[in-house]
């Protein structure tokens, strides 16, 4: 592998399709190291709720870009590209195979296809105005505004994630362009084989529901309580992803625990639908495999032989 043009293996797809297990298996067989491409797993203290690889799993092969910052900090696409690009080249220089794994499509395609992050400075006055709207009318009001301006970008975002919705509106306000039109492709991407994991939607939803139940057994509620005790607001910023907001509402007396768990399952189903807008079954860049295939690791290994 050349350090100037490293071979890269990408493992992508919706949540709960088995990306972590496949990545670790291939890393063992191919001498690989895993680079995280999940926008929530970069945060500390959010282990169970983000389905982060366990300590035991991460001890099996080298893992990169996990537990980088606290939930109080923002993590941008630009920062991901800087860190992921450096990690990929470093792994390649050590004659190992970089295996980029995650369900955040924006991160994956930006890295692979060489996106240029738009250098749009913050407009603090406009941002404050939008934050007031979100506080008064709810994040959904801003989401509807983004839908009218840029339905493509809106479809890629969680309506409850006010921070990312505000940033998209801010980019439009500053540049006069739809956020989905940015960033442009620079041609300096880290191309490689993209293996996508998928399965029938009803089977995937059942798998998600079982995983949420397992997360609760593993201490998800205790993790949410600890985050709240540390001063973080469940349901805001990076903690707007499925589960944290719902458990925060339970802890605040707004719903029962059973309702919070069921709502978490429903919101994770919605997350899957958004992830499929990034990882389309018709995308010729992706070699799709059934995540329930009994010989999945062997089939993926044969595919990976193209780049190793």
């Amino acid at each position: 592998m050349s350090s100037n043009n490293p071979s890269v293996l990408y493992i992508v797809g919706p949540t709960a399709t088995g990306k972590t297990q496949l990545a670790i298996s291939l890393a063992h067989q191919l001498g690989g190291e895993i680079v995280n491409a999940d926008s929530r797993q970069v945060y500390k203290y959010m282990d169970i709720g983000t389905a982060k690889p366990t300590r035991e799993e991460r001890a099996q092969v080298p893992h990169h870009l996990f537990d980088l910052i606290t939930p109080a900090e923002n993590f941008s696409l630009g920062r991901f590209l800087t860190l992921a690009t450096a990690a990929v080249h470093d792994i390649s220089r050590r004659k190992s195979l970089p295996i980029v794994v995650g369900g955040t499509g924006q991160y994956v395609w930006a890295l692979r296809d060489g996106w240029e992050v738009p250098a749009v400075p913050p407009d603090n006055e406009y941002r404050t105005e939008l934050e007031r709207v979100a506080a008064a009318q709810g994040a959904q009001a801003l989401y509807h505004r983004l839908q009218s301006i840029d339905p493509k970008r809106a479809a890629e975002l969680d309506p409850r994630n006010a921070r990312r919705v505000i940033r998209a509106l801010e980019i439009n306000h500053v540049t006069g362009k739809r956020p989905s039109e940015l960033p442009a492709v620079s041609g300096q991407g880290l191309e490689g084989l993209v293996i996508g994991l998928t399965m029938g939607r009803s089977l995937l939803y059942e798998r998600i529901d079982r995983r949420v139940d397992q997360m609760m057994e593993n201490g998800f509620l205790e993790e949410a309580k600890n985050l709240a005790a540390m001063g973080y607001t469940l349901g805001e910023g990076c903690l707007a992803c499925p589960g944290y907001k719902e458990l925060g509402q339970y802890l605040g007396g707004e719903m029962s625990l059973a309702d919070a768990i069921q709502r978490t399952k429903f919101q994770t189903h919605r997350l899957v639908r958004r992830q499929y807008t990034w990882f389309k079954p018709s995308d010729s860049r992706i070699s799709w495999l059934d995540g329930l295939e009994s010989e999945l690791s062997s089939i993926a290994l044969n595919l990976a032989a193209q780049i190793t």
Side-chain angles (χ1 to χ4, degrees):
M1 291 180 287
S2 165
S3 61
N4 293 324
N5 187 27
S7 298
V8 184
L9 174 62
Y10 294 85
I11 299 178
V12 307
T15 189
T17 50
K19 297 184 294 295
T20 295
Q21 291 74 22
L22 178 61
I24 292 173
S25 174
L26 293 180
H28 277 301
Q29 298 177 79
L30 298 170
E33 300 184 20
I34 293 171
V35 179
N36 172 44
D38 183 292
S39 64
R40 292 298 183 262
Q41 293 179 354
V42 300
Y43 289 96
K44 299 176 182 178
Y45 319 130
M46 297 170 59
D47 299 339
I48 298 171
T50 65
K52 197 179 294 179
T54 64
R55 292 182 184 276
E56 293 74 20
E57 289 172 328
R58 288 155 69 178
Q60 294 181 40
V61 296
H63 283 66
H64 304 267
L65 273 62
F66 291 88
D67 298 330
L68 299 177
I69 59 175
T70 71
E73 301 172 79
N74 291 330
F75 191 81
S76 66
L77 173 61
R79 187 171 180 187
F80 167 77
L81 289 174
T82 297
L83 295 175
T85 299
V88 165
H89 281 286
D90 181 57
I91 293 165
S92 183
R93 278 192 294 270
R94 289 186 277 101
K95 308 302 181 184
S96 294
L97 175 67
I99 304 176
V100 178
V101 185
T104 302
Q106 183 187 42
Y107 285 10
V108 169
W109 296 127
L111 184 65
R112 181 194 179 277
D113 294 344
W115 289 7
E116 293 176 344
V117 179
V120 179
D123 184 325
N124 292 325
E125 183 177 346
Y126 183 71
R127 184 177 293 184
T128 299
E129 175 190 333
L130 295 182
E131 288 171 348
R132 290 197 189 101
V133 173
Q137 303 176 29
Q140 196 74 31
L142 295 180
Y143 185 75
H144 289 322
R145 187 182 302 186
L146 180 59
Q147 281 182 312
S148 67
I149 294 170
D150 188 350
K152 180 179 178 182
R153 183 68 180 125
E156 297 165 352
L157 297 180
D158 184 339
R160 305 178 302 170
N161 192 331
R163 181 179 60 82
R164 295 189 71 188
V165 173
I166 287 172
R167 180 55 180 163
L169 290 169
E170 185 179 45
I171 290 172
N172 171 257
H173 176 74
V174 173
T175 67
K177 297 181 180 180
R178 294 187 181 96
S180 63
E181 298 172 350
L182 301 169
V185 174
S186 70
Q188 302 301 311
L190 297 172
E191 294 188 6
L193 174 67
V194 183
I195 293 177
L197 296 186
T198 188
M199 61 187 65
R201 194 68 61 92
S202 62
L203 290 174
L204 180 54
Y205 289 169
E206 290 174 9
R207 189 176 172 117
I208 286 168
D209 293 350
R210 289 195 299 270
R211 188 171 77 170
V212 170
D213 290 335
Q214 187 63 55
M215 289 161 64
M216 295 303 298
E217 292 180 16
N218 291 345
F220 189 13
L221 180 58
E222 288 69 28
E223 179 173 279
K225 288 179 179 178
N226 289 338
L227 284 160
M230 294 167 70
Y232 302 116
T233 303
L234 301 176
E236 290 187 5
C238 66
L239 290 166
C241 54
Y244 292 105
K245 178 175 182 178
E246 289 72 26
L247 290 179
Q249 290 173 322
Y250 160 68
L251 293 172
E254 299 176 43
M255 64 173 66
S256 69
L257 181 58
D259 286 343
I261 293 170
Q262 185 57 46
R263 184 74 176 168
T264 297
K265 294 174 181 178
F266 174 72
Q267 291 297 339
T268 309
H269 299 172
R270 292 188 62 185
L271 171 62
V272 165
R273 294 194 288 273
R274 289 195 301 275
Q275 288 175 313
Y276 273 121
T277 68
W278 286 101
F279 304 120
K280 292 182 170 60
S282 60
D283 194 328
S284 62
R285 296 171 295 180
I286 304 174
S287 297
W288 285 106
L289 298 178
D290 187 337
L292 298 177
E293 167 62 54
S294 60
E295 300 297 324
L296 176 63
S297 182
S298 297
I299 296 171
L301 185 63
N302 288 335
L303 284 173
Q306 301 173 24
I307 61 169
T308 57

